[in-house]
Amino acid sequence: MLNLVLFGPPGAGKGTQSQKLIDQYRLVHISTGDLFRAHIGNRTELGQRVSKLIADGELVPDSITIAMLEEEIDKNPQAPGFIFDGFPRTVAQAEALDRFLESKGAGITGVVALDVTEEELTARIAKRKAISNRADDDSEKLKKRIEEYFNKTIHVLPYYEQQGKLTKVNGIGDIEAIFDEIKGVVDGLLI
Ligand code: ADP
């Protein structure tokens, strides 16, 4: 199995690069942000529980997020591997993912972290706001999301670094050039 984590702050380009990785490696994409938005759109009980937190740019509690993620993995028993996008966002989530994959005789193959400056992130999301209808793309909420990233999510990096699984890729520049660099990393993991 090839299990990848695509890591980066809000607006780093995880969604764009995930799509290209799926096309290239036929992996099953799991984006916790997309899953939450689908729950909210479908007005499920879970959606109703998390919609305010998400609109406010706060992280959803680990217990809810981890349960949803494990369910999604279990829906895809034939997957050749997964690309995790927007998960893990806390060290507890990273530990839970390791335990869960281990119980299936699998594990995380590698983590690609998109490196983007805070200035560039704010500019990108301002642009996206003009065309998106995401409730969490306005500037106050974005500030909160970036804050959550620097308070909680960034600690996931040393977790994977200690395991020797982390590779940083420059996330600024041409989308294709960034993808080429990611592909180089992933091809290296396949050997
Ligand atoms: P971004 O553009 O910030 O990468 P996502 O689509 O990944 O956005 O996530 C949107 C929102 O969904 C987050 O701001 C957070 O509220 C919630 N969320 C997504 N993934 C997680 C997670 N792994 N843990 C907690 N909350 C999450």
Side-chain angles (χ1 to χ4, degrees):
M1 261 188 133
L2 174 66
N3 291 315
L4 288 179
V5 173
L6 192 57
F7 190 88
K14 297 188 295 285
T16 307
Q17 296 296 339
S18 291
Q19 199 48 58
K20 298 178 76 65
L21 282 167
I22 300 155
D23 295 344
Q24 178 83 21
Y25 298 100
R26 304 278 142 213
L27 302 172
V28 173
H29 181 215
I30 301 190
S31 156
T32 41
D34 286 350
L35 291 171
F36 284 132
R37 281 185 288 277
H39 274 283
I40 293 168
N42 294 329
R43 299 180 175 282
T44 66
E45 197 199 318
L46 191 152
Q48 286 172 5
R49 267 197 286 160
V50 304
S51 69
K52 183 164 187 327
L53 287 171
I54 291 181
D56 288 345
E58 285 172 40
L59 291 189
V60 173
D62 284 337
S63 55
I64 298 178
T65 308
I66 291 165
M68 180 181 74
L69 178 101
E70 293 182 351
E71 196 186 309
E72 198 60 27
I73 292 176
D74 280 339
K75 277 186 198 159
N76 293 281
Q78 306 300 333
F82 293 94
I83 166 151
F84 299 103
D85 162 7
F87 186 100
R89 262 178 158 92
T90 63
V91 173
Q93 290 180 13
E95 289 167 348
L97 180 60
D98 273 348
R99 277 197 302 272
F100 192 67
L101 290 176
E102 210 173 289
S103 76
K104 298 179 181 300
I108 292 296
T109 318
V111 179
V112 175
L114 290 169
D115 226 359
V116 178
T117 59
E118 202 171 334
E119 259 179 324
E120 169 82 10
L121 295 178
T122 315
R124 283 187 192 177
I125 304 217
K127 255 211 230 149
R128 185 167 87 185
K129 169 67 181 158
I131 52 165
S132 98
N133 52 6
R134 276 180 53 169
D136 57 350
D137 272 352
D138 83 54
S139 58
E140 263 315 294
K141 308 299 169 60
L142 169 63
K143 239 173 79 192
K144 183 71 200 172
R145 280 160 59 206
I146 294 180
E147 216 178 280
E148 291 280 71
Y149 176 79
F150 285 106
N151 283 337
K152 298 172 185 165
T153 305
I154 204 143
H155 307 297
V156 173
L157 284 176
Y159 177 85
Y160 286 122
E161 199 163 27
Q162 277 155 26
Q163 296 186 4
K165 290 182 179 168
L166 180 71
T167 309
K168 287 187 185 169
V169 166
N170 175 16
I172 301 182
D174 180 58
I175 289 177
E176 288 306 322
I178 297 168
F179 183 62
D180 279 344
E181 212 182 318
I182 297 177
K183 227 165 42 183
V185 175
V186 177
D187 287 342
L189 294 170
L190 289 171
I191 297 166

